[in-house]
Amino acid sequence: MKLAIAVFTMVLLFYGTSADLSYTDRECGTDLTKLWLDVVAVVDNSIGMTNEGLDTTAAHIASVFSAGTRIGTQSSEPRTTRVGLVTYNVNAQQNADLNKFQSVDDLFNGVFADLKTVSTSAQSYLSTGLAAAESLFEYENFGTSRSHYKKVVIVYASTYVGEGEMDPLPVAIRLKTSGVNIITMAYVQNGDGFMLKQLAEIASPRFNFSSTDNNGNTVGQVQSALLETNCFCPSDWIQYRQNYTDYNSYRYGVCLQTVSLAANWRAAKMACANRWTNSYLVNEYNQQKHDYVLNVVQNSSGFFQPYSYHNGLNMVGGVWKWDQPSGWPQPALKNWYNWDPGYPITSSSLTAVLNQQNNEEVATGWQNIDYYKTAVNYVCETSSCDTDNYCSSAGRNGE
Ligand SMILES: *[C@@H]1O[C@H](CO)[C@@H](O)[C@H](O)[C@H]1NC(C)=O
Ligand SMILES: *[C@@H]1O[C@H](CO)[C@@H](O)[C@H](O)[C@H]1NC(C)=O
Ligand SMILES: *[C@@H]1O[C@H](CO)[C@@H](O)[C@H](O)[C@H]1NC(C)=O
């Protein structure tokens, strides 16, 4: 299985670097060595966790960050990850704030030392652990030079107690509403269905895991959740998902922005290029992307029926090509076409393309137009912020 994946990846790489440009939408970065996050591990150390469970948890945390992730902030490279540690039973204790671990060795030493022996308490209130994580973010992330780094809590729990004042759900909801993702890892000895159900509510969608439901790879599950968290769009940009109405559907490493101030194609192209580093007029490689763009347009203020908006298609040297950041090769149109009947019209002046809605039905088709004349709204596209693409707080990519 691993070998098959490796061969597949090599084929993809080869394909990507050949003259035939890849004709797919960008995927989120997956380079753990370039992860840039602020993380707090929140670990249950009540008796139920057992010394063995605690030791396993230390090893798990250490393994999640052992894939070359830069721990701490002592690097000229901005793509670094800070990891804090909180333990909880009746009360929570802050073992390491976000600035304590400055290397992966620090992290190893810290978590193994702090997760050596369970407390004497049989009680365990996740609400206290989450509240401690919340205050760490409050003091050490929000309002600091790292406030634009995505925030994650990883909960390791052996039990779930949640009633009245000790209900962890309100804190979890508060964290998630303020943009913090929550990963839960249930330490289950004998299939505690109640706990799993409760932790699923605490966790961000699809980020609820269990030590027994692992296929041997809970480390990989947590790493994937961290990579996914690290892949996001700048404010005012909308991330391209597999399914527009399903927020939890697969997310591409692509961000979209509608512009509701009409411009001709040439001006729209320049305006898109100036919106962000490496931004351009939207590509519509396939029906799924086209439909998604139309959904975004339908939900944007300043766009009215019949819809009419530029995409990135233009004639270059006699070939229809998709717009790209300046200096990048433009992929030639292939595979999927959305021309309206009678289009494209052969003409040396109709060298740009817009999407036009032709009847009551909400659907749009391509029509070629004059590069300098027809002024309509348009849609811009750029790469997501992720491990391959750092976004600074000033809001520009790759600097
Ligand atoms: C995670 O939550 C989903 C939805 O609530 C549930 O179907 C799934 O079994 C949970 N997974 C684990 C490991 O608890
Ligand atoms: C449509 O736009 C509204 C307002 O900007 C936003 O709250 C909502 O999430 C959008 N719908 C979808 C499915 O993205
Ligand atoms: C998209 O998501 C919605 C809401 O979850 C669902 O009803 C619909 O079937 C999904 N569409 C596709 C094509 O999967």
Side-chain angles (χ1 to χ4, degrees):
M1 181 63 182
K2 282 241 170 69
L3 183 65
I5 291 171
V7 170
F8 184 56
T9 309
M10 279 169 60
V11 170
L12 277 184
L13 285 175
F14 180 75
Y15 183 79
T17 53
S18 69
D20 193 6
L21 296 170
S22 93
Y23 207 72
T24 51
D25 284 292
R26 183 180 179 276
E27 316 233 326
C28 290
T30 54
D31 187 347
L32 287 165
T33 70
K34 293 179 176 145
L35 202 65
W36 45 291
L37 293 171
D38 276 358
V39 182
V40 179
V42 173
V43 181
D44 178 358
N45 70 352
S46 65
I47 289 172
M49 193 69 175
T50 72
N51 285 343
E52 193 187 46
L54 217 46
D55 191 52
T56 313
T57 300
H60 196 270
I61 297 171
S63 302
V64 164
F65 297 101
S66 290
T69 300
R70 290 186 197 92
I71 302 297
T73 47
Q74 293 168 352
S75 170
S76 54
E77 163 64 53
R79 283 171 290 188
T80 59
T81 291
R82 297 191 300 177
V83 183
L85 180 66
V86 164
T87 50
Y88 69 94
N89 42 75
V90 174
N91 297 305
Q93 183 187 343
Q94 178 187 305
N95 299 76
D97 71 7
L98 285 165
N99 297 309
K100 184 170 176 189
F101 302 144
Q102 288 296 334
S103 69
V104 81
D105 281 345
D106 280 358
L107 175 71
F108 265 74
N109 295 336
V111 294
F112 278 104
D114 289 335
L115 304 179
K116 210 174 175 67
T117 326
V118 289
S119 68
T120 52
S121 169
Q123 285 162 315
S124 170
Y125 297 128
L126 175 55
S127 56
T128 62
L130 289 179
E134 184 181 39
S135 67
L136 263 182
F137 287 136
E138 222 154 80
Y139 292 113
E140 298 184 351
N141 176 292
F142 289 109
T144 74
S145 63
R146 281 178 76 99
S147 61
H148 63 296
Y149 284 54
K150 288 284 168 184
K151 293 159 269 293
V152 187
V153 170
I154 311 179
V155 172
Y156 292 85
S158 72
T159 183
Y160 185 97
V161 181
E163 270 157 34
E165 277 178 32
M166 288 309 173
D167 185 354
L169 203 50
V171 203
I173 291 169
R174 213 159 58 221
L175 280 164
K176 288 189 278 188
T177 321
S178 68
V180 178
N181 273 357
I182 303 180
I183 299 170
T184 57
M185 181 61 68
Y187 183 73
V188 220
Q189 281 101 335
N190 35 25
D192 185 342
F194 172 76
M195 174 170 75
L196 290 181
K197 197 158 160 282
Q198 298 300 306
L199 285 177
E201 282 181 38
I202 298 290
S204 301
R206 292 177 295 99
F207 287 0
N208 58 314
F209 306 119
S210 157
S211 62
T212 53
D213 173 34
N214 55 19
N215 298 317
N217 194 17
T218 52
V219 168
Q221 285 178 319
V222 172
Q223 288 172 333
S224 295
L226 294 176
L227 287 167
E228 195 176 321
T229 303
N230 207 158
C231 182
F232 63 97
C233 289
S235 48
D236 301 331
W237 291 80
I238 296 163
Q239 195 156 7
Y240 172 35
R241 297 184 297 268
Q242 199 142 27
N243 181 336
Y244 184 70
T245 52
D246 182 0
Y247 279 102
N248 301 324
S249 59
Y250 176 80
R251 286 163 188 258
Y252 292 86
V254 170
C255 306
L256 305 170
Q257 190 178 71
T258 53
V259 181
S260 60
L261 192 59
N264 65 39
W265 195 95
R266 169 90 181 123
K269 174 189 160 75
M270 294 192 65
C272 278
N274 287 334
R275 296 245 142 192
W276 198 263
T277 305
N278 294 334
S279 50
Y280 46 93
L281 271 168
V282 73
N283 294 167
E284 296 180 318
Y285 292 150
N286 50 45
Q287 181 88 50
Q288 177 186 301
K289 178 75 169 294
H290 170 81
D291 292 349
Y292 195 89
V293 171
L294 179 56
N295 283 146
V296 173
V297 160
Q298 282 178 266
N299 197 31
S300 296
S301 55
F303 282 72
F304 305 101
Q305 297 199 41
Y307 295 122
S308 196
Y309 51 95
H310 295 300
N311 67 20
L313 202 54
N314 65 136
M315 177 75 83
V316 183
V319 178
W320 289 110
K321 291 188 169 181
W322 291 108
D323 190 29
Q324 285 290 291
S326 84
W328 294 23
Q330 300 188 10
L333 174 64
K334 64 176 179 188
N335 290 349
W336 183 78
Y337 311 96
N338 197 36
W339 296 111
D340 272 342
Y343 288 88
I345 295 169
T346 307
S347 157
S348 60
S349 62
L350 305 181
T351 58
V353 175
L354 55 68
N355 272 294
Q356 181 64 47
Q357 179 186 2
N358 296 304
N359 46 40
E360 313 258 297
E361 196 190 329
V362 180
T364 55
W366 297 344
Q367 301 184 359
N368 56 326
I369 44 142
D370 193 304
Y371 200 67
Y372 288 112
K373 288 192 181 142
T374 314
V376 296
N377 291 349
Y378 48 100
V379 181
C380 306
E381 175 173 318
T382 193
S383 301
S384 58
C385 307
D386 56 37
T387 56
D388 291 339
N389 198 25
Y390 175 70
C391 299
S392 77
S393 56
R396 307 291 288 192
N397 289 19
E399 286 166 8

